Amino acid sequence: MKTQWTTFTHVFVTSWMLVAVNPGYLSVNASYRYLCDSPIYCPGPFLEKIQLNRVFNDSKTFVDMPTLKPLEEVIAAFSRIPQNASRDTLLDFISTYFGSEGQELVPATLDHFPYHPSFLQKIRSPILYEFAIRVHNYWPNLARKVDQSFMCAGCVSSFIPMNRSFVIPGGRFREIYYWDSYFVIEGLLVSELYGVAKDMILNFLDFVETYGFVPNGSRIYYLNRSQPPLLVQMVKIYYQATNDTSLLFHAFPTLIKEYNFWRQNTSIHVTSPKSQKRYTLNRYIVHNISPRPESYFEDYETVELAT
Ligand SMILES: *[C@@H]1O[C@H](CO)[C@@H](O)[C@H](O)[C@H]1NC(C)=O
Ligand SMILES: *[C@@H]1O[C@H](CO)[C@@H](O)[C@H](O)[C@H]1NC(C)=O
Ligand SMILES: *[C@@H]1O[C@H](CO)[C@@H](O)[C@H](O)[C@H]1NC(C)=O
Ligand SMILES: *[C@@H]1O[C@H](CO)[C@@H](O)[C@H](O)[C@H]1NC(C)=O
Ligand SMILES: *[C@@H]1O[C@H](CO)[C@@H](O)[C@H](O)[C@H]1NC(C)=O
Ligand SMILES: *[C@@H]1O[C@H](CO)[C@@H](O)[C@H](O)[C@H]1NC(C)=O
Ligand SMILES: *[C@@H]1O[C@H](CO)[C@@H](O)[C@H](O)[C@H]1NC(C)=O
Ligand SMILES: *[C@@H]1O[C@H](CO)[C@@H](O)[C@H](O)[C@H]1NC(C)=O
């Protein structure tokens, strides 16, 4: 994967260098649909107030908390908070109106968990064997599914629902991530956990059908950012491990859709000043003009310190 990462970095850096050197030779397509429109979880007065007062050490905590009251009620209560409210007042407000972060997720059972996958038999060194079996047995701790049944009518959350189970990176990363999942799936396949690997791919295909691309992660604040596109490779390694042609047939039209997104929505035309030949460069790029909701305070501070 080192090579692919290098390629992405290279394309990214190259496209910026071109912009810096000679903007006249470029035509840019920056058509991203604006989708982060929640008055709570997307940039706006609400988020700014909570995040810049640093109610939580990690900005991601707040944006991962579902409401416990209908949206209108939460907004109305927020409007009654005085301008100069202290951090404690804000914390009181949050504990009244919001549930705990990541509450929409519950552990998922991994069906047919193989206790002795065949890769273990190939390991000679007892130390490596011990290590491998611990990694293998860790999967059930990271398997999740969505359960929003606790939410009231009108309650909102930043989570993008998925129909199938998945594996999360863990820690503050309580949701499914796009390119992380490629590496997760590589591991799941080695562990012979084919069912959840397939479920993850099907979730991503649903994202492409719904949003036109795969967001950075399954939260609405990631809806205008993708990650290095590895869905095709996920399907490829899954197929190589299983010979499951039905998934190939199902995935193919959707993979074309994803590719069209990278071609049409994030690419640029570059004209060579020497040959006048016109090239299309598909870029991994984000069009973002405000602090990332999940790192709001951190981004704000970075900019403040730099200016
Ligand atoms: C891509 O661009 C097209 C045309 O500009 C637009 O209609 C579409 O919504 C964009 N797709 C996404 C996912 O932003
Ligand atoms: C993308 O989302 C961020 C955060 O939600 C927002 O600040 C930004 O304006 C959005 N960008 C576009 C092009 O919609
Ligand atoms: C934030 O971090 C500080 C020091 O690391 C700790 O004392 C404090 O309890 C933390 N606050 C929260 C809300 O987690
Ligand atoms: C906020 O301002 C009001 C007057 O505008 C004042 O009475 C109150 O004590 C202030 N509260 C805090 C927490 O500073
Ligand atoms: C989940 O399944 C339901 C019922 O089949 C369907 O309507 C919905 O679109 C699916 N959700 C996603 C994210 O694809
Ligand atoms: C994707 O999400 C991760 C985790 O929050 C974040 O560190 C990264 O900046 C995001 N990518 C983009 C392009 O915003
Ligand atoms: C997939 O099919 C090929 C060709 O028939 C075969 O060589 C390979 O062993 C199969 N792999 C699996 C995982 O079934
Ligand atoms: C920009 O988008 C338009 C409409 O989707 C498309 O015709 C054009 O080829 C795109 N330009 C690039 C550089 O991809």
Side-chain angles (χ1 to χ4, degrees):
M1 284 322 296
K2 185 100 198 329
T3 4
Q4 294 203 12
W5 173 243
T6 316
T7 312
F8 284 122
T9 318
H10 183 73
V11 170
F12 187 77
V13 172
T14 313
S15 64
W16 279 109
M17 278 166 51
L18 286 169
V19 173
V21 173
N22 206 330
Y25 289 108
L26 290 177
S27 86
V28 178
N29 250 6
S31 46
Y32 247 93
R33 206 185 297 164
Y34 184 80
L35 279 159
C36 193
D37 57 0
S38 158
I40 296 178
Y41 303 110
C42 301
F46 197 124
L47 192 66
E48 185 176 316
K49 178 122 199 141
I50 305 288
Q51 301 291 43
L52 293 189
N53 275 288
R54 208 156 200 201
V55 179
F56 301 102
N57 283 352
D58 181 356
S59 293
K60 196 166 180 302
T61 307
F62 174 67
V63 288
D64 293 354
M65 297 172 119
T67 68
L68 296 178
K69 305 272 161 67
L71 178 63
E72 291 73 31
E73 209 178 302
V74 179
I75 301 283
F78 177 76
S79 68
R80 292 193 296 269
I81 295 177
Q83 273 305 316
N84 60 358
S86 66
R87 195 176 153 273
D88 282 345
T89 305
L90 292 173
L91 199 53
D92 275 353
F93 164 75
I94 293 172
S95 49
T96 309
Y97 289 94
F98 289 83
S100 54
E101 64 274 19
Q103 209 181 330
E104 344 45 5
L105 297 175
V106 294
T109 319
L110 296 174
D111 291 335
H112 316 296
F113 188 81
Y115 287 95
H116 299 286
S118 64
F119 83 97
L120 286 175
Q121 270 113 66
K122 296 183 202 134
I123 301 177
R124 296 261 161 80
S125 150
I127 294 174
L128 286 183
Y129 184 89
E130 193 58 28
F131 173 72
I133 199 143
R134 281 195 197 197
V135 173
H136 175 72
N137 285 327
Y138 205 79
W139 290 122
N141 301 330
L142 297 171
R144 298 283 186 282
K145 61 184 181 183
V146 184
D147 180 2
Q148 293 182 318
S149 57
F150 69 93
M151 288 176 67
C152 73
C155 282
V156 293
S157 128
S158 64
F159 202 82
I160 302 173
M162 279 169 278
N163 280 342
R164 299 173 190 83
S165 56
F166 49 93
V167 166
I168 58 166
R172 66 196 281 273
F173 301 117
R174 312 173 177 98
E175 45 285 311
I176 198 172
Y177 279 83
Y178 184 10
W179 86 313
D180 304 58
S181 294
Y182 172 82
F183 306 99
V184 168
I185 289 172
E186 274 204 334
L188 291 173
L189 295 174
V190 169
S191 280
E192 296 168 19
L193 288 162
Y194 305 117
V196 67
K198 183 175 186 173
D199 275 357
M200 289 177 74
I201 293 171
L202 291 172
N203 285 328
F204 287 130
L205 294 172
D206 283 347
F207 284 161
V208 176
E209 290 300 331
T210 310
Y211 301 109
F213 70 105
V214 181
N216 192 344
S218 59
R219 295 266 174 197
I220 56 172
Y221 51 77
Y222 288 132
L223 272 178
N224 62 13
R225 296 174 268 163
S226 193
Q227 277 193 318
L230 292 176
L231 184 52
V232 172
Q233 280 83 352
M234 290 179 204
V235 172
K236 180 181 169 195
I237 57 174
Y238 173 79
Y239 173 70
Q240 284 171 338
T242 61
N243 281 349
D244 179 354
T245 42
S246 69
L247 182 77
L248 283 188
F249 284 112
H250 174 77
F252 193 66
T254 311
L255 294 175
I256 300 281
K257 272 190 200 168
E258 194 205 16
Y259 180 52
N260 283 338
F261 164 77
W262 291 100
R263 276 187 357 152
Q264 287 162 13
N265 296 61
T266 70
S267 62
I268 50 173
H269 289 314
V270 185
T271 310
S272 160
K274 286 216 176 106
S275 66
Q276 301 304 318
K277 252 181 101 174
R278 205 155 175 261
Y279 297 94
T280 302
L281 182 65
N282 300 168
R283 293 177 306 168
Y284 170 59
I285 193 168
V286 179
H287 304 286
N288 203 355
I289 49 162
S290 43
R292 292 167 297 168
E294 81 284 8
S295 295
Y296 201 97
F297 182 84
E298 295 82 346
D299 285 354
Y300 192 89
E301 199 178 35
T302 304
V303 172
E304 285 289 296
L305 289 177
T307 50

